[in-house]
């Protein structure tokens, strides 16, 4: 499978616990994005990497959230001290470098439920 | 402030009919307008996209109509099929980098056989 891979697919955690999600982008895609999608809404941009550099963070990404892409390949999104409002689908996407408006390919997402 | 407004929230169409979903935007800096299709449990997948230098783009049964002066764009699905039943999102982006898509709230399309 050469698509964007996200793990785990589902995560249930107790409020206050830390969780970490992983995203493996399509090979050779140097751009990687994280989005959050709540029920009945469209995805909302969280953050963007070009190679290992995190170039932009949304104000939706509070201090409890941190994303890394240490070697410019896979990325992790960590949420510390989870709250019930963090329950959502976390989507990762990747795209090729270069040309404007290149297609972003999304993974299947990690569904987080905070109880 | 919702920068991309999408309607209707849900749509039921008979097989063979035309499905029409509309979006309006506010930010005149937007210069890329994709439509995504999402099936339950899956991530969004790009369906078709348009840039504001053209008023219409057609790919198979899917057509985007774009009205720059009205700041509106729409998706038309011709000969709708039950397999088209999914949630459709319009989106917009500016700056040519395609990394910060602003999505509409989505339209749940049901095509009855």
């Amino acid at each position: 499978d050469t698509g964007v891979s996200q793990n785990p697919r589902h995560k249930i955690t107790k409020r206050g616990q830390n969780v970490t999600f992983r995203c493996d982008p399509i090979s050779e895609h140097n751009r990687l994005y994280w989005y959050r999608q709540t029920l009945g809404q469209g995805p909302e941009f969280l953050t963007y990497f070009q190679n290992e550099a995190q170039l932009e963070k949304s104000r939706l990404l509070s201090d409890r959230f941190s994303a890394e892409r240490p070697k410019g390949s896979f990325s992790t999104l960590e949420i510390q001290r989870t709250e019930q409002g963090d329950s959502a689908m976390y989507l990762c996407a990747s795209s090729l470098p270069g040309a404007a408006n290149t297609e972003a390919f999304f993974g299947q997402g990690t569904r987080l439920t905070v109880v | 402030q919702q920068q991309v407004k999408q309607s209707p929230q849900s749509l039921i169409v008979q097989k063979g009919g035309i499905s029409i979903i509309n979006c309006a935007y506010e930010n005149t800096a937007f210069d890329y307008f994709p439509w995504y299709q999402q099936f339950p449990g899956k991530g969004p997948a790009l369906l078709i996209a348009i840039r504001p230098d053209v008023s219409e783009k057609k790919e198979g049964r899917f057509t985007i109509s774009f009205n720059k002066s009205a700041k509106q764009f729409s998706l038309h699905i011709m000969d709708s099929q039950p397999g088209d039943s999914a949630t459709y999102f319009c989106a917009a982006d500016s700056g040519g980098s395609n990394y910060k898509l602003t999505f509409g709230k989505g339209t749940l399309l049901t095509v009855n056989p």
Side-chain angles (χ1 to χ4, degrees):
Chain A
D1 186 354
T2 57
V4 177
S5 177
Q6 291 190 247
N7 288 288
R9 292 291 311 280
H10 304 274
K11 179 71 177 179
I12 300 174
T13 190
K14 291 183 178 179
R15 189 175 55 184
Q17 297 294 304
N18 299 343
V19 293
T20 300
F21 312 138
R22 176 177 171 129
C23 171
D24 287 90
I26 294 172
S27 179
E28 298 178 356
H29 281 196
N30 78 334
R31 295 178 177 175
L32 186 146
Y33 328 89
W34 286 97
Y35 283 78
R36 181 177 71 183
Q37 184 176 22
T38 54
L39 204 60
Q41 302 293 318
E44 296 173 293
F45 171 80
L46 292 179
T47 189
Y48 158 63
F49 289 86
Q50 183 157 304
N51 298 311
E52 66 275 10
Q54 187 175 19
L55 297 185
E56 185 164 349
K57 293 168 60 174
S58 163
R59 55 185 169 81
L60 293 175
L61 216 63
S62 75
D63 292 345
R64 297 183 297 105
F65 288 71
S66 63
E68 295 183 343
R69 194 181 183 198
K71 296 184 179 180
S73 57
F74 72 91
S75 175
T76 58
L77 178 67
E78 181 183 15
I79 309 174
Q80 296 182 328
R81 305 181 303 282
T82 52
E83 301 173 356
Q84 287 189 320
D86 297 330
S87 295
M89 175 80 85
Y90 290 84
L91 293 163
C92 176
S94 69
S95 71
L96 285 167
N101 304 136
T102 55
E103 178 180 352
F105 291 84
F106 283 83
Q108 297 192 62
T110 293
R111 180 167 295 284
L112 172 67
T113 303
V114 181
V115 297
Chain B
Q1 181 184 14
Q2 187 184 351
Q3 293 197 58
V4 179
K5 294 183 179 180
Q6 183 171 347
S7 63
Q9 267 190 313
S10 62
L11 180 62
I12 300 175
V13 173
Q14 291 299 118
K15 178 181 175 180
I18 302 173
S19 304
I20 301 175
I21 304 171
N22 300 299
C23 282
Y25 64 97
E26 299 167 4
N27 187 347
T28 54
F30 287 149
D31 61 1
Y32 175 66
F33 302 90
W35 284 89
Y36 281 83
Q37 179 188 57
Q38 186 175 31
F39 293 103
K42 303 290 187 181
L46 180 66
L47 197 59
I48 186 172
I50 198 168
R51 300 188 71 179
D53 51 348
V54 296
S55 60
E56 185 175 283
K57 183 174 181 180
K58 182 176 181 179
E59 289 184 2
R61 296 184 294 110
F62 302 92
T63 299
I64 298 179
S65 296
F66 185 82
N67 186 329
K68 188 174 181 178
S69 60
K71 293 188 285 185
Q72 295 175 346
F73 59 111
S74 61
L75 175 70
H76 295 233
I77 306 174
M78 311 299 288
D79 187 26
S80 299
Q81 299 296 311
D84 296 330
S85 297
T87 300
Y88 291 81
F89 294 95
C90 62
D93 182 53
S94 60
S97 60
N98 191 33
Y99 67 83
K100 197 174 175 180
L101 293 168
T102 300
F103 284 83
K105 289 192 174 184
T107 296
L108 177 61
L109 172 65
T110 303
V111 181
N112 288 328

